[in-house]
């Protein structure tokens, strides 16, 4: 394990401050600072950016973000036991790190950040997915962030980047890829974490597009996609029959085959259908 700053190694930080990982908080820590710096680099050039980090824990990734030159880091951590360790990092990087002890699901970070903003997080997987959906569905587009670099369970990461025709393709893929470029940039084995989780993990990097890939009303698109994938084995004409009595005509007008199944339809097709419905 190497050091990227003059702070103590993370194992020592955890021992000094009594931050043994708690399952109830979804804590699986990254203790290798080479690895956390590598994850920070996946977020792109941080030098001119404010970074929102959610769930810093003992601060491994936080230290990676700061050593990679982030202009400022706002770190939101729910577990108050981590505060003294994070304060030490703050002292080592004067004026660069602000820590807030809060539940990220209940805090609006915007007041604390100045654009351009990048988001980086290694969160418990359920919180990560909930925040991802929120970040992908703001009232207005483009969103407050330029990019999201997030750790997920590998299976969820595969659903985010899935292409039509694959089993993993569904609502999450469409939600993500309609308005972002989404890529898996790293895969991590369980042993990378302390304690090791049961599953493999992957880092997904999403870059916000200036505007949606294809025009569509977000609420209509979301409704169509939810219905289509709710019964993903059915043909579109039956899966979507609750939407309109004229669903076959709408599908044909959108350039889709009524006998296709949801997982064969590219994002462009769902957007065309949403536009036909809005007519
Ligand atoms: N980022 C650290 C790392 O990579 O070692 C910690 C990762 S650990 C998987 C997840 C962290 O998120 C924990 O520190 C946990 O306390 C924190 N956390 C869990 N739920 C949270 C929430 N709702 N808001 C903010 N932090 C949360």
């Amino acid at each position: 394990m190497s050091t990227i700053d003059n702070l103590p190694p993370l194992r020592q930080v955890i021992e000094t401050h009594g931050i043994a990982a708690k399952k109830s908080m979804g804590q699986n820590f990254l203790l290798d600072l080479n690895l956390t710096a590598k994850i920070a680099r996946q977020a792109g050039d941080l030098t001119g950016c404010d970074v929102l980090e959610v769930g810093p824990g003992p601060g491994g990734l936080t230290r990676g973000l700061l050593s990679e030159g982030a202009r400022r880091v706002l770190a939101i951590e729910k577990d108050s036991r981590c505060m003294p360790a994070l304060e030490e990092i703050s002292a080592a990087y004067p004026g660069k790190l602000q820590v807030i002890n809060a539940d990220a699901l209940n805090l609006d970070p915007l007041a604390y950040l100045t654009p351009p903003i990048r988001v980086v997080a290694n969160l418990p997987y359920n919180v990560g997915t909930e925040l991802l959906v929120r970040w992908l569905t703001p009232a207005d587009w483009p969103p407050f962030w330029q990019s999201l670099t997030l750790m997920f369970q590998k299976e969820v990461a595969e659903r985010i980047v899935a292409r039509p025709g694959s089993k993993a393709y569904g609502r999450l893929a469409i939600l993500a890829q309609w308005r972002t470029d989404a890529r898996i940039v790293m895969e991590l084995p369980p042993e990378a974490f302390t304690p090791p989780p049961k599953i493999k993990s992957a880092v997904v990097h999403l870059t916000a597009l200036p505007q949606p890939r294809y025009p569509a009303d977000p609420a209509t698109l979301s409704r169509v996609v939810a219905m289509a994938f709710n019964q993903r084995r059915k043909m579109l004409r039956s899966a979507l029959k609750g939407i309109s009595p004229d669903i076959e005509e709408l599908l044909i007008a959108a350039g889709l085959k009524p006998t296709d199944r949801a997982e064969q339809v590219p994002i462009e097709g769902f957007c065309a259908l949403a536009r036909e419905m809005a007519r």
Side-chain angles (χ1 to χ4, degrees), residues 23-221:
K23 214 174 172 182
S24 61
M25 286 272 186
Q27 291 175 337
N28 301 92
F29 298 138
L30 291 167
L31 303 185
D32 177 348
L33 291 167
N34 284 322
L35 184 60
T36 60
K38 192 171 169 195
I39 296 171
R41 284 196 291 276
Q42 306 304 323
D45 182 6
L46 302 178
T47 48
C49 291
D50 275 14
V51 178
L52 168 61
E53 188 195 359
V54 189
L61 187 51
T62 321
R63 286 162 66 172
L65 294 165
L66 289 163
S67 73
E68 288 303 313
R71 178 176 69 192
R72 273 189 73 245
V73 176
L74 173 69
I76 303 171
E77 172 56 59
K78 191 174 169 181
D79 185 353
S80 57
R81 295 180 311 155
C82 300
M83 291 304 117
L86 294 167
E87 289 311 329
E88 274 177 14
I89 305 173
S90 195
Y93 288 92
K96 295 247 170 199
L97 172 63
Q98 181 176 5
V99 183
I100 302 181
N101 184 196
D103 183 334
L105 294 168
N106 301 330
L107 182 103
D108 179 0
L110 267 187
Y112 305 90
L113 294 162
T114 310
I117 299 162
R118 294 188 187 269
V119 179
V120 180
N122 173 19
L123 271 170
Y125 298 120
N126 54 344
V127 183
T129 311
E130 175 156 0
L131 284 172
L132 170 67
V133 171
R134 285 192 200 178
W135 288 326
L136 288 172
T137 51
D140 298 306
W141 198 269
F144 74 87
W145 47 270
Q146 227 174 40
S147 66
L148 308 172
T149 307
L150 310 171
M151 182 84 72
F152 286 103
Q153 185 171 337
K154 192 174 167 214
E155 179 243 317
V156 175
E158 283 167 350
R159 280 170 41 209
I160 296 169
V161 304
R163 300 291 180 205
S166 70
K167 267 199 175 147
Y169 182 64
R171 291 170 69 178
L172 205 50
I174 293 168
L175 189 60
Q177 296 171 42
W178 179 42
R179 297 194 282 198
T180 80
D181 274 326
R183 296 180 292 129
I184 293 182
V185 288
M186 265 176 90
E187 295 194 5
L188 289 93
E191 312 79 74
F193 300 85
T194 304
K198 289 202 176 69
I199 34 80
K200 288 187 189 165
S201 304
V203 177
V204 183
H205 181 70
L206 304 100
T207 314
L209 297 173
Q211 56 200 24
R213 226 173 266 282
Y214 314 102
D217 168 58
T220 315
L221 179 63

